[in-house]
Amino acid sequence: MTDLNGSTVFVTGASAGFGAACARRFAAKGARLILCGRRGDRLENLKAELKVPVHAITLDVRDRRAVERAVTALPPEFAAVDVLVNNAGLALGLEPAQEADLDDWDQMVDTNIKGLTYCTRAVLPGMVARDRGHVINIGSVAATYPYPGGNAYGATKAFVQQFTMNLRADLFGTRVRATVIEPGLCGETEFSVVRFKGDAERAAKLYQDTQPLTADDIAECVLWTASLPPHVNVNRLEVMPVAQSFAGLKVARGT
Ligand code: NDP
Ligand code: 8X3
């Protein structure tokens, strides 16, 4: 297995949800952590809770120069990133495409696609130079299965899926690994409250009378892929709660 004790793990979007759960899981294995997100106070609280060295960066991954600066300015003891968990991301809105807010689409593209590529591009040369590392991208089942209102969000996650496979192609001949983890319905995180712009009641309804995945379920998957022996690469891992399945195609009559 890959020993994560003393390794350096960079988690984007660590101020909530999957990212915070990943930070706790990797910390329990003795990894040193680089944690970023826009809410620095949340990161500082997490840092205070964890018993491992933590470098917290208040960072908006949409800011390309800031991402480059943050990676260039990593303290020496954090500079050799072993695992990058590209988790920062969001869905905004569930309206049909013809009614969607273009600002929401911009923000999803800028965060889920561009931010993820900025972080990857900043960290990858070091991994390749050391011939060691693992990029773990958080995609979504929305990359593969269309649903009403999934429009731009699903498309950003389709990018994440294909970008990860193309990383595998480019990293051929190196020992650097790339994985995309694609969760389905997951409660407990701020995902739906963010998607519904603070409407906590609407968000809660989505998870009513069902057992969704938890943030810790996904953190376990992230940790598992990172812990596998260094010659093993999980390309793509799609994970749903048992309660979630497929709805099939539908046909509109009279159109
Ligand atoms: P949360 O809303 O709980 O967490 C999202 C995290 O991303 C927060 O830490 C947030 O931090 C960070 N973030 C958002 N925008 C930026 C930005 N511009 N720069 C830096 N950090 C940012 O959601 P989840 O934990 O549920 O989601 C994490 C990832 O998992 C996302 O990529 C999401 O698309 C994906 N996902 C979620 C599923 C779910 O059902 N929950 C299912 C499938 C995939 P801050 O606000 O402090 O910047
Ligand atoms: C989050 C899962 O089904 O809300 O990516 O798109 S879903």
Side-chain angles (χ1 to χ4, degrees):
M1 299 298 275
T2 298
D3 185 7
L4 295 164
N5 188 30
S7 66
T8 302
V9 179
F10 186 171
V11 183
T12 71
S15 53
F18 298 169
C22 285
R24 293 189 176 100
R25 283 258 167 182
F26 280 104
K29 293 288 174 192
R32 63 181 64 241
L33 300 171
I34 304 160
L35 305 178
C36 85
R38 293 164 300 176
R39 288 170 292 178
D41 53 334
R42 295 276 199 105
L43 298 174
E44 288 305 325
N45 289 342
L46 190 54
K47 179 176 175 171
E49 170 196 322
L50 300 175
K51 306 271 181 281
V52 294
V54 173
H55 178 61
I57 317 170
T58 304
L59 178 70
D60 187 329
V61 296
R62 293 172 294 175
D63 185 338
R64 177 173 157 183
R65 298 280 168 244
V67 170
E68 289 165 357
R69 273 197 307 272
V71 171
T72 307
L74 284 172
E77 64 274 29
F78 291 92
V81 177
D82 295 297
V83 181
L84 169 64
V85 184
N86 269 319
N87 163 76
L90 76 174
L92 289 171
L94 199 60
E95 292 77 27
Q98 62 274 22
E99 292 166 20
D101 184 336
L102 268 176
D103 289 336
D104 287 349
W105 284 10
D106 275 346
Q107 191 173 344
M108 289 189 280
V109 167
D110 289 347
T111 310
N112 303 358
I113 296 181
K114 293 168 79 175
L116 180 140
T117 62
Y118 299 157
C119 293
T120 306
R121 185 62 183 81
V123 165
L124 207 52
M127 288 185 174
V128 171
R130 292 183 294 277
D131 202 15
R132 184 183 85 228
H134 196 166
V135 178
I136 303 177
N137 294 327
I138 305 300
S140 168
V141 294
T144 304
Y145 309 104
Y147 61 85
N151 43 66
Y153 175 69
T156 65
K157 293 302 187 177
F159 175 94
V160 174
Q161 183 186 103
Q162 193 62 15
F163 183 65
T164 311
M165 294 307 105
N166 280 323
L167 281 178
R168 291 278 294 126
D170 288 349
L171 292 167
F172 175 75
T174 77
R175 292 187 179 84
V176 180
R177 303 189 285 183
T179 299
V180 60
I181 294 180
E182 303 188 322
L185 187 76
C186 186
E188 264 188 13
T189 76
E190 297 174 4
F191 178 82
S192 291
V193 177
V194 170
R195 176 171 234 171
F196 299 137
K197 320 264 171 80
D199 187 341
E201 206 177 314
R202 188 177 174 199
K205 277 206 179 104
L206 196 61
Y207 308 108
Q208 205 176 319
D209 296 330
T210 191
Q211 187 173 4
L213 298 170
T214 65
D216 199 49
D217 293 331
I218 298 308
E220 169 71 19
C221 294
V222 172
L223 185 76
W224 175 69
T225 57
S227 306
L228 287 168
H231 69 283
V232 180
N233 194 100
V234 175
N235 293 339
R236 199 175 145 230
L237 184 60
E238 186 182 292
V239 189
M240 290 180 185
V242 175
Q244 186 175 36
S245 186
F246 315 101
L249 303 176
K250 55 187 180 182
V251 176
R253 311 282 165 191
T255 54

